[in-house]
Amino acid sequence: MREDGKLDYLEMPGGDLGVTKTFYAEAFGWTFQDYGPTYAAFDQGLDGGFDADATEAAKAPLPVLYAHDLEAVADKVTAASGVITRAIYAFPGGRRFHFRDPAGNELAVWSES
């Protein structure tokens, strides 16, 4: 069962997605679920995905936390001195927002609804 605030997903830059997928498949035996031409998800102990969309992809790995109530967690993030860097938006599978913590790390929080 998913819990609020627990690390739930890891999104990483995909670069040349075909090359990236081939590397992880050959080096570690990973398999992928493609979601369009620029995104491939994996499930290797922790769910995650490679994003090769040059306009959308994070420049570094993006830890993604889970929340049952996305708006409530966004409020908690800002109350705790986090900075929302991307307001709540919809994506295939749910909704999410991005924030920067006081140390400058970017994370995201997602919800299924």
Side-chain angles (χ1 to χ4, degrees), residues 4-108:
D4 285 348
K6 300 294 182 187
L7 188 58
D8 191 66
Y9 199 82
L10 179 64
E11 200 163 76
M12 298 192 293
D16 180 327
L17 194 55
V19 171
T20 301
K21 288 170 51 178
T22 298
F23 168 78
Y24 281 93
E26 290 178 1
F28 303 108
W30 288 17
T31 59
F32 300 91
Q33 171 67 49
D34 291 332
Y35 292 97
T38 63
Y39 199 92
F42 56 81
D43 177 6
Q44 301 300 323
L46 174 67
D47 290 346
F50 290 104
D51 190 347
D53 185 331
T55 62
E56 295 288 325
K59 303 301 181 235
L62 179 70
V64 182
L65 309 176
Y66 184 78
H68 287 96
D69 184 337
L70 204 57
E71 286 77 10
V73 172
D75 290 343
K76 288 180 181 181
V77 165
T78 55
S81 300
V83 176
I84 304 293
T85 58
R86 188 163 181 194
I88 294 173
Y89 66 96
F91 70 96
R95 299 179 310 134
R96 76 185 201 185
F97 70 91
H98 294 207
F99 71 94
R100 192 172 47 252
D101 71 12
N105 298 302
E106 184 167 358
L107 292 88

